[in-house]
Amino acid sequence: MNLQVVYCNHQSAEISVREKLGFAKDRLPAAYAALRSAFPRAEWVVLSTCNRVEVYTAQEDPTQLPSHHELAQFFSDFHRVPVAEFFDDLLERTGPDVVRHLFQVAASLDSMVLGEPQIVAQVKEAYSLAQQHSGSGPLTNALFQRALGVAKRVRTETGLAEGRVSIASVAVGDFGRKIFDRFDDKKILVIGAGEMAIEAVRYLKDEGARQIWVCNRTQERAESLAREWGGEVRPFDRLDDWLSQADVIVSTTGADPCLVPVNRFKQARAKAKYKPVFVLDLGVPRDFEPAIRDLDDNVFLYCIDDLEAICEQNRRSRQREVDKALTIVDQEVDKLMGELYHRATGPIVKRLRDQWREVVDQEKKRLFQRLPHLEKDRSEIERSIEQMVNKLLHPPLEALRDEAREGTPHGLLDALRRLFRLQE
Amino acid sequence: MMPHTSILCFLACYVVAFGLELTRFRGKSAVSRLISLGFTGAGLLAHTWYLLNRSHETSLPPLLSSTHDWMQVAAWLLALIYLVLAVLQNEMALGVFVLPVVLVLVASTYGLNHAPNNEIYAMQARRSWGLLHAALLVFGVVAAAGGLLSAVMYLLQHRRLKTRHAQPGGFQMPSLPRLAQANRWAFLLSFVLLTLGYASGLMLAIAAPDDEASVSLMEPVVLISGGVWTLMAGVVGWLLVHRGPVGRQVAWLTIVGLGCLLLTLFGLQLATGNIHSGTRSAAHAAQPEVRR
């Protein structure tokens, strides 16, 4: 039995490399077919996400596993990319390290955003696709099923997934959703078109936001964003009107001097009749004067520093959970490896025991036929033989068990086969 | 005969549940939440059994027998409402707010007289009116407690949002609009129930026959309650006039209004040992033997 993973991820390779090596869902059947035809006896699972491309291989016979170079060649042939362009970014792990790696990936310990929940679904989908395309087998089934169990255990027993760590998600999830119950009836005003505004609007849309107004100095950019989000363009010169009407304001212009001083917003508040307003000032320097947050009870203003501080706090508390999660991963790796090695040595042990039992039975039969007067002590004699067999088998089996803790003891298994002439 | 359950039994369950709820400050734990719900459920079961026992002993509904039982019913109702809400809104840290009130109510009954209210045995004919009066008051008080707690939660949530603090992982509170809505409705509901409760009490007092126990309208409890009711009516009037988004003022007003009401009601209960302690009739004709 042997396990191997050849992979590149956000730590080892640039996105330009990962893009070239990634497997789109519609090309996976072809990838599995190619792998099967090149290495027909192996089991395969391909995990391809925006942050990683990993090919897991498992096989009972270690001599049949593809080499690192052969798999690099497969990537090259399949994606038509020269090996030299990515070979140094392609990493390899074997044996228990594969199990540890997959468990860490599934538990989101290897993710760009520690504890992010999407990876579990991605691992699950990769495994399910491998099953559909007959890529997986008994070893990969055991490996991936356990990986999903480990991910669940880490999620429930540690605080690794607690607290949001991106600015937009903290803004919308931790604050926005507590200021407003729902967003489908709210007017969202987006001033400027920074990357973070785009992310914030994406979260707001996920929360049901429908009415999005884009207000930008450059009309073309505003129109393009409005099209992208299904929103409406609002003229920049009437910003005061939109400020008074909006329930949520996301601003990223970073204008200097600041776009909305206190007095300007004060007038907008009076027109808005002091209804609650959630202002996300993501501009650097700030677009809204900080004193605005004290204008009245219903103004909730958050700037990038406020949100970044919470993200950092959440990241730190997640980091504290990493050790707990790693301990769980180590426990599960030992458990699974023990089970897999037991599975690998089990058939040999069984054959050895069966063969000895056969010899014992033959000898007992012969003995009681030749010396029938021993019949009265039959049970005592049988018990003695039984104990003798167990004592004689104990040292080799104990040695096998010890060796199996470090990996499949191929040498010892082979020696046992030859010494005792065990048939396949 | 029904087996006995002591107050300590369910009080201990609620204490454990409250302790587990406090662990929310340290982070999310589905296991601890489940155990907390289990203890609340067990406490509620024991509490129900206790009230049934009391009712069986006094041959009266718990609402009518004594101030001790009346407050136990109030605590029971709050615990029941909390359990239902906690099951439906598992993420919310409602127990941190509701369970202390339940604990205070249950613990305070230790100092109260268990003996049934003797007048009740005498007013056979009007007992159902008495029951209605007590029930309206207890529901009104529970609604008032709900309003008070939602107002406190509103102010805490508002403060957190204004000061831009992250909420601890396991310590989630409802959104401001939801809390404001709960606050407003609880306040209005408690006002209506308490108004009807006071009105039925007044009718009972006025319509009492000469030979039966009655409550004097000049009794301190009636006068003080009347004063608090007037304060509540003022707040209700203000609420109805100001329909705009004035959540924080509403929260403070309800805290003052409902706080006064609850302090008055429970203060009087605890101080006098019985809400209607000012009058005692000699008419104990129909009183059965009470087992203690």
Side-chain angles (χ1 to χ4, degrees), chain B residues 201-266:
Chain B
L202 285 175
M203 278 166 61
L204 267 174
I206 293 164
D210 294 339
D211 60 336
E212 215 178 73
S214 69
V215 175
S216 160
L217 294 180
M218 296 314 285
E219 215 182 285
V221 71
V222 178
L223 292 175
I224 294 171
S225 303
V228 173
W229 182 87
T230 313
L231 176 69
M232 277 186 82
V235 177
V236 167
W238 189 88
L239 275 178
L240 293 175
V241 171
H242 294 81
R243 284 172 169 273
V246 281
R248 202 158 153 263
Q249 290 100 307
V250 175
W252 275 116
L253 265 173
T254 48
I255 284 180
V256 172
L258 298 176
C260 275
L261 171 91
L262 294 176
L263 279 177
T264 310
L265 272 176
F266 291 120

Side-chain angles (χ1 to χ4, degrees), chain A residues 174 178 181 293 297 299 302, chain B residues 158 160-162 175-176:
Chain A
D174 277 17
K178 297 298 176 188
D181 233 7
R293 64 170 55 102
D297 279 344
V299 175
Y302 302 91
Chain B
H158 186 273
R160 180 187 80 81
L161 292 167
K162 276 299 242 186
S175 65
L176 288 183

Side-chain angles (χ1 to χ4, degrees), chain A residues 8-16 18 49-52 54 104-119 122 160 165-166 195 199 311 315 318-319 322:
Chain A
C8 65
N9 61 16
H10 60 97
Q11 288 159 331
S12 73
E14 294 292 323
I15 188 162
S16 54
R18 301 200 306 268
T49 71
C50 51
N51 283 331
R52 62 189 68 249
E54 307 193 336
Q104 287 181 358
V105 167
S108 189
L109 285 160
D110 197 48
S111 297
M112 197 182 266
V113 179
L114 199 66
E116 53 103 358
Q118 291 91 339
I119 187 67
Q122 287 165 340
L160 196 70
V165 288
S166 87
E195 205 171 292
E199 200 191 341
C311 287
R315 265 183 229 125
R318 282 187 179 195
Q319 200 59 42
V322 167

Side-chain angles (χ1 to χ4, degrees), chain B residues 75 125 127-128 136 153 180 192 196 201 230 240 266 272:
Chain B
R127 195 181 285 178
S128 51
L136 285 167
M153 286 167 88
V192 171
L196 292 173
T230 313
L240 293 175
F266 291 120
T272 61

